[in-house]
Amino acid sequence: MLLRSICLTFASACVGLSLASASTIGDTRNTNLDQGWQLHSGCDLNTSGSTIASTSFSPVRWLDTSVPSTVLAAQVAAGQYKDPYVARNLRAIPGTDYPIGANFANLPMAKESQYQCAWWYRKRFDMEKIAPGRVVWLHFDGINYRANIWINGKLLANSSKVAGAYRRYDFDATKVLLSGKPNVIAVETFAPSPTDLGVNWVDWSPAPPDKDMGITGAVYLKTTGPVSVRSPLVSTHFIDASLNTAELTVAGEFHNASMIPTHGIASVSLLGFNLQQTIDLAPGEEKTVVFAPKRYSQLIVQHPSIWWPYQMGKPQLQNLTLRYSDAAGLSDEQDAQFGIREMTSELTGKGYRLFRVNGKPILIRGGGWSQDMMLRVDSERLQKEFALIRDMHLNAIRLEGKLETDEFYRLADEQGILVMAGWSCCDQWEHWDKWTPENFDVAIASLRSQMLRLRIHSSLFAWLNGSDNPPPPKVEQAYLDIEHQTRWPNSILSNATKIRSDVSGDSGVKMSGPYDFVAPSYWLTDHDQYGGAYGFNTETGPGAAIPSIYSLEKFIPHDQLWPPNDVWSFHDGGGGFDNLDVFNAAMKATYGVPTSLHEYEQMSQVMAYDGERAMFEAYGRNKYTSTGVVQWMINNAWPSMIWHLYDYYLDAAGGYFGAKKACEMIHIQYSYDDHGIFVVNSRYEPTETMHASVHVYDIRSKQIFEQSADFGVTADSSTKVISIPDSLFSGNSRVLFVQLELRDNAGAVLSRNFYWVPTKLTEFDWSKTDYMKTPALHPELMTDLRNMPRVRIVAKLLPSTLAGAVTVQLSNPSDTLAFQLSVRALDKNGDAIDPVFWSDNYVTLMPNETRILTVHTWPHEQAAIGSLVVSGWNVDDTAVEVTAEKFEPRPH
């Protein structure tokens, strides 16, 4: 970027600086090196790095690629291999010979694997003339795992310095770059070994055969003066609960690359004012410069514009510029955005970890996040995923390893979605007893790199130093020291389980499962032992998540779609989750044996809806005995049959809408344990008088109970408003239907909910509980749902009041309820459109009931919908064309 005017404020720093020098002496700019790379295996490349990194070298049969890109991602993009995510294509790639379902991170590559060799990335580029006194830094956001870096025939850094999947690098390349001439950079990359701290895939995804080796982050050149400015930070402390006064502390890292001492001015601009202090840096010195409110009264801000998670307020961001200048002018500056917010946590009286944002408690309702298995980056896809997360009313994302791109954190800041980050489990990251001195050094360097990168981001609320276990004292203390040195402003947990740390004490969280199917009543039946709705569960969920037929057809060959087979199972998880036996057994026992793919998919969505809704509702009802729940997971690294709320193709099915229903900001819900009707208010303000009604029906759709109540509820609360008599559950019907509705005092619907409830709940075999599940001694029986009469649904389009939206009216003119209706938006070719955003879906219509649903597409795809298809448990599919001329349904 061009020199910003600093002379008005820092006149002494601008002595001798002329307009002509603004593009040289004062110029700080980034030159992206993302395009124009070439890639080649080192297996048959008998050429030295100095030769490859020379302008005289002529690449022959090298792959064209861009960065970031792993080796395999580049090969797939070049068409060398068919889509690895379809069927079993992944196993056809040479080098994919590790056992299916095994943790490849802990296994060596086969000696004959093409990824056992180094792989070379090479780029030729023109360099502008380097002005006297300027320093050119070569920056890497990430390299997995080791690398030798060459520029113009000279070795800039070797693999003893470049090691670690989560490190960022800045190399002074000034002396090896050719000013004003063509230059060549060559990066020789090496995959991680089982004893390296690499990128790992555990049981939620298979691992790619290259172990994600290669250049995994952005690469660019940054031109500065002798002193560079990095890693800005603004931390906040509110002096009291009114939030009227915020004390801000600003910090940054200043690095002197020159061989002489420097004397200059560190300055910061934010909130309309400028601050400065003089600093001295010895040759090669890096110093943290702090602007504290005790010294700078301007940093005591009255009535600040506060950053909130999107459900608590506006995620307001401010601009910050951190600079260093001396007598020669501007040396470097760094822009950033920050939010005025304070993240804290505490242990409740029961020892549960409770998080607060700006002093207000928050029930964390989030999910585990996964990057693409080949670490491919897609900006628009990322934006769509954030929109899906907000549409579900989730407020948090957990990253276990897989530390995302800068754009990810920027979006989280802007969207007001909280992020919990930390290290991963299950490989060398937690094999501390096998650590080498290099492992220790790489871990410390990786943590420092990530702390300095992430600390500015408003969305980060916690960091986990371990996942499945706390680090041993030596490692944890070293981590804590780094976090203190880098002024990490948020909570730090030793690990994601309830295992106590000898250094930092109780974590206040649990990771007790389940990860496989449990009946919906589980979450309110388990009060204090396992994964039930108490405390903070860092990863859990009701297991399998079968994609819709529309998605299944994208990665399962047509002749393999039914019955499930080894192609299906290849897309299950790994380890103990390499099959769907628990889920399928529960389906058979509860709903009966499916006889077709259509039946199997419908039953699967019913189970996913019911399971996800029950989990999130239980944690909502019990707040703040329950303090947080992280669904394992939000998304998938590739097309999968397990652990997602929306699938790899961004298709939303039963589990998505169950979660969306449960996490409404004002929500009415049923409780399996006491038949109570609760209203959960997730807003931070009380409500006016509301009207709740409950209707209970037997399996024949005959109403057997009705009750209503008028009430108001307090802010951020869970309130029982009605009780259904126990006697209703001792009748002849094995299944009851419970319909709930909540309206405001003007009659507008605030929340609707519908349950299919067994009169005899599942009896759990608690003695056989393991980390995966609690099995059922006697499962609930819901087979009567398969014997309901079929009904005809009437669907018609209505004029929409929203631009780019389609509104459909669904009516049930029969005397039998229409169970679990889903509406699918298709394009003009009959293919599913993903993602789309429905006001509601997977709804049930009582006899003579009418519902209106609205769908809108991604903003740039508003004209994509050609028809809507309505499916249901006991209805025939119905389609309605989306045209201006025709609004009547047609057979499908």
Side-chain angles (χ1 to χ4, degrees):
M1 61 190 72
L2 295 178
L3 170 68
R4 298 187 178 195
S5 175
I6 60 174
C7 299
L8 291 176
T9 307
F10 312 117
S12 63
C14 298
V15 174
L17 182 61
S18 68
L19 290 176
S21 65
S23 64
T24 54
I25 296 176
D27 184 31
T28 62
R29 68 175 63 187
N30 289 357
T31 301
N32 291 329
L33 300 178
D34 53 345
Q35 300 298 318
W37 289 80
Q38 294 177 297
L39 177 70
H40 199 282
S41 169
C43 291
D44 56 357
L45 197 62
N46 299 317
T47 310
S48 67
S50 60
T51 300
I52 295 171
S54 67
T55 55
S56 61
F57 179 74
S58 297
V60 178
R61 292 191 296 275
W62 285 50
L63 287 181
D64 292 330
T65 189
S66 59
V67 296
S69 175
T70 65
V71 172
L72 178 59
Q75 292 174 305
V76 171
Q80 284 193 359
Y81 302 117
K82 293 175 63 177
D83 189 342
Y85 295 179
V86 171
R88 292 171 58 94
N89 289 353
L90 182 66
R91 302 300 293 185
I93 299 174
T96 316
D97 51 1
Y98 54 90
I100 294 176
N103 187 348
F104 191 30
N106 293 325
L107 301 173
M109 287 182 180
K111 292 182 179 180
E112 60 274 13
S113 170
Q114 61 181 316
Y115 308 109
Q116 182 71 26
C117 304
W119 279 74
W120 285 88
Y121 290 75
R122 183 181 188 273
K123 177 179 173 59
R124 179 179 174 131
F125 61 97
D126 292 327
M127 184 71 200
E128 293 183 4
K129 189 172 182 180
I130 304 172
R134 307 309 285 170
V135 179
V136 182
W137 301 91
L138 175 61
H139 175 90
F140 290 87
D141 270 358
I143 296 174
N144 187 31
Y145 180 77
R146 301 178 189 274
N148 294 312
I149 301 172
W150 299 76
I151 295 181
N152 298 326
K154 296 181 175 61
L155 183 63
L156 183 67
N158 63 31
S159 58
S160 65
K161 293 183 178 180
V162 184
Y166 297 111
R167 294 174 68 181
R168 291 188 153 196
Y169 303 95
D170 286 285
F171 300 109
D172 184 349
T174 313
K175 294 181 180 179
V176 295
L177 288 168
L178 301 177
S179 179
K181 297 180 180 179
N183 288 256
V184 174
I185 178 174
V187 184
E188 183 185 19
T189 63
F190 303 86
S193 74
T195 57
D196 287 327
L197 304 177
V199 176
N200 72 341
W201 302 94
V202 186
D203 43 22
W204 55 84
S205 171
D210 67 341
K211 295 192 176 185
D212 283 316
M213 71 180 298
I215 298 177
T216 57
V219 183
Y220 58 85
L221 297 172
K222 180 178 175 65
T223 302
T224 73
V227 175
S228 60
V229 180
R230 300 170 185 163
S231 308
L233 164 69
V234 180
S235 59
T236 302
H237 174 63
F238 293 102
I239 66 169
D240 57 39
S242 72
L243 307 182
N244 288 331
T245 304
E247 296 178 336
L248 307 184
T249 300
V250 183
E253 310 304 307
F254 290 70
H255 179 77
N256 179 15
S258 74
M259 300 302 294
I260 60 173
T262 67
H263 173 79
I265 297 174
S267 62
V268 60
S269 300
L270 72 164
L271 303 177
F273 57 81
N274 302 300
L275 307 173
Q276 67 180 70
Q277 61 178 282
T278 58
I279 65 169
D280 294 290
L281 293 168
E285 181 182 9
E286 181 169 312
K287 178 184 293 186
T288 302
V289 176
V290 179
F291 296 81
K294 289 184 178 179
R295 178 178 174 185
Y296 300 92
S297 60
Q298 298 96 321
L299 293 174
I300 302 175
V301 182
Q302 302 298 325
H303 305 290
S305 296
I306 299 173
W307 185 94
W308 292 99
Y310 75 99
Q311 294 171 332
M312 300 176 72
K314 293 182 179 179
Q316 299 188 85
L317 293 171
Q318 316 297 329
N319 295 318
L320 164 77
T321 300
L322 202 59
R323 303 183 182 92
Y324 178 85
S325 55
D326 56 23
L330 179 66
S331 180
D332 192 20
E333 65 180 358
Q334 185 77 35
D335 294 327
Q337 285 192 310
F338 70 95
I340 299 175
R341 98 295 186 263
E342 185 175 19
M343 302 290 183
T344 58
S345 69
E346 66 209 46
L347 296 180
T348 68
K350 293 185 177 181
Y352 305 146
R353 178 70 58 180
L354 173 65
F355 289 93
R356 293 181 182 269
V357 181
N358 304 326
K360 295 184 181 293
I362 182 170
L363 174 65
I364 298 296
R365 291 188 283 197
W369 176 271
S370 180
Q371 291 172 283
D372 177 79
M373 187 184 76
M374 292 187 287
L375 305 187
R376 293 177 294 190
V377 176
D378 184 330
S379 179
E380 185 173 26
R381 177 185 175 91
L382 187 60
Q383 294 175 53
K384 291 177 178 179
E385 294 197 65
F386 270 80
L388 289 166
I389 289 168
R390 284 186 52 151
D391 186 59
M392 281 186 285
H393 314 298
L394 300 184
N395 58 24
I397 293 169
R398 181 185 166 201
L399 306 176
E400 182 183 352
K402 311 299 181 296
L403 299 177
E404 264 282 6
T405 62
D406 288 344
E407 183 180 14
F408 173 95
Y409 301 109
R410 178 184 60 79
L411 281 172
D413 294 345
E414 294 173 352
Q415 298 283 328
I417 296 174
L418 298 171
V419 177
M420 170 187 281
W423 298 132
S424 189
C425 77
C426 310
D427 70 344
Q428 192 72 0
W429 276 107
E430 290 198 355
H431 297 168
W432 293 292
D433 59 333
K434 300 176 183 177
W435 269 22
T436 64
E438 185 196 59
N439 287 151
F440 184 87
D441 292 342
V442 167
I444 297 303
S446 300
L447 181 64
R448 176 178 172 79
S449 185
Q450 294 301 323
M451 291 292 100
L452 291 174
R453 173 168 84 114
L454 300 179
R455 66 184 187 178
I456 189 66
H457 288 287
S458 305
S459 52
L460 270 292
F461 74 98
W463 175 268
L464 278 67
N465 281 328
S467 178
D468 291 16
N469 297 277
K474 177 185 175 182
V475 175
E476 185 179 5
Q477 189 58 59
Y479 283 170
L480 292 170
D481 290 344
I482 289 293
E483 289 148 357
H484 175 73
Q485 293 165 17
T486 56
R487 308 177 73 90
W488 177 249
N490 310 305
S491 294
I492 300 168
L493 279 65
S494 64
N495 72 122
T497 79
K498 64 181 179 181
I499 301 174
R500 180 180 172 82
S501 161
D502 293 336
V503 176
S504 56
D506 292 326
S507 68
V509 300
K510 64 180 180 180
M511 198 180 76
S512 48
Y515 296 88
D516 217 327
F517 182 81
V518 289
S521 59
Y522 167 90
W523 306 100
L524 288 172
T525 306
D526 170 36
H527 298 290
D528 56 13
Q529 284 187 288
Y530 304 111
Y534 65 92
F536 191 112
N537 203 338
T538 59
E539 52 181 72
T540 189
I546 307 302
S548 70
I549 292 176
Y550 293 94
S551 287
L552 288 171
E553 290 175 340
K554 294 178 181 179
F555 68 98
I556 304 293
H558 188 268
D559 61 353
Q560 301 289 323
L561 279 170
W562 186 259
N565 48 56
D566 62 345
V567 177
W568 274 64
S569 62
F570 186 60
H571 290 265
D572 296 339
F577 306 99
D578 60 355
N579 61 74
L580 301 177
D581 291 353
V582 173
F583 180 79
N584 289 339
M587 177 186 292
K588 177 181 177 181
T590 303
Y591 292 99
V593 179
T595 59
S596 67
L597 175 62
H598 180 72
E599 281 193 343
Y600 183 79
E601 194 256 355
Q602 282 198 326
M603 292 185 190
S604 297
Q605 304 312 331
V606 164
M607 292 169 68
Y609 185 105
D610 212 11
E612 296 291 357
R613 177 179 62 174
M615 180 186 73
F616 281 112
E617 284 186 338
Y619 275 80
R621 191 201 78 174
N622 287 356
K623 66 176 176 183
Y624 282 100
T625 297
S626 60
T627 56
V629 60
V630 177
Q631 150 68 21
W632 203 251
M633 304 174 70
I634 291 176
N635 60 353
N636 289 136
W638 82 321
S640 177
M641 305 291 182
I642 68 167
W643 296 346
H644 62 250
L645 293 176
Y646 55 82
D647 69 24
Y648 182 78
Y649 304 102
L650 309 187
D651 181 76
Y656 178 99
F657 288 101
K660 176 174 178 172
K661 178 66 66 177
C663 296
E664 294 173 318
M665 295 302 287
I666 297 287
H667 180 63
I668 188 168
Q669 63 185 62
Y670 168 80
S671 294
Y672 289 92
D673 56 343
D674 65 359
H675 311 311
I677 307 304
F678 282 74
V679 171
V680 178
N681 179 16
S682 297
R683 296 174 179 170
Y684 288 79
E685 56 188 23
T687 69
E688 297 179 351
T689 301
M690 297 183 293
H691 179 80
S693 63
V694 53
H695 299 263
V696 182
Y697 304 85
D698 65 14
I699 190 65
R700 296 177 299 277
S701 303
K702 177 183 177 182
Q703 181 171 296
I704 58 176
F705 177 78
E706 176 185 7
Q707 190 170 326
S708 62
D710 294 320
F711 56 90
V713 296
T714 58
D716 191 27
S717 62
S718 173
T719 307
K720 188 174 185 178
V721 296
I722 297 173
S723 290
I724 299 175
D726 293 346
S727 59
L728 291 182
F729 295 85
S730 58
N732 294 326
S733 182
R734 292 191 297 186
V735 180
L736 298 181
F737 301 115
V738 178
Q739 186 181 45
L740 307 177
E741 192 170 77
L742 183 67
R743 293 178 179 265
D744 63 18
N745 57 12
V749 175
L750 298 173
S751 176
R752 284 192 178 101
N753 218 339
F754 181 89
Y755 296 81
W756 48 107
V757 182
T759 52
K760 184 175 176 56
L761 295 176
T762 294
E763 182 180 347
F764 294 99
D765 190 351
W766 298 105
S767 66
K768 294 183 179 178
T769 296
D770 55 30
Y771 79 100
M772 296 170 57
K773 65 189 182 305
T774 297
L777 271 174
H778 302 289
E780 56 195 42
L781 296 177
M782 312 287 272
T783 53
D784 288 352
L785 292 171
R786 301 184 69 182
N787 300 319
M788 291 189 298
R790 300 192 70 77
V791 301
R792 183 179 67 88
I793 291 298
V794 177
K796 68 176 182 178
L797 296 184
L798 299 177
S800 178
T801 59
L802 299 175
V806 174
T807 298
V808 62
Q809 176 181 284
L810 304 179
S811 301
N812 176 14
S814 74
D815 57 3
T816 299
L817 66 81
F819 184 57
Q820 278 278 288
L821 302 178
S822 64
V823 191
R824 177 76 51 175
L826 305 182
D827 64 18
K828 291 177 174 55
N829 297 319
D831 296 323
I833 303 170
D834 297 308
V836 293
F837 303 88
W838 284 96
S839 57
D840 199 0
N841 213 330
Y842 288 82
V843 300
T844 294
L845 294 187
M846 298 308 298
N848 300 307
E849 184 180 7
T850 295
R851 291 285 299 276
I852 295 175
L853 306 179
T854 298
V855 60
H856 65 89
T857 59
W858 189 244
H860 304 300
E861 302 164 357
Q862 292 177 352
I865 299 178
S867 64
L868 302 177
V869 177
V870 184
S871 302
W873 188 273
N874 61 328
V875 304
D876 294 327
D877 286 3
T878 300
V880 56
E881 292 184 2
V882 180
T883 65
E885 298 81 15
K886 188 173 182 181
F887 292 88
E888 294 302 319
R890 58 181 173 81
H892 178 73

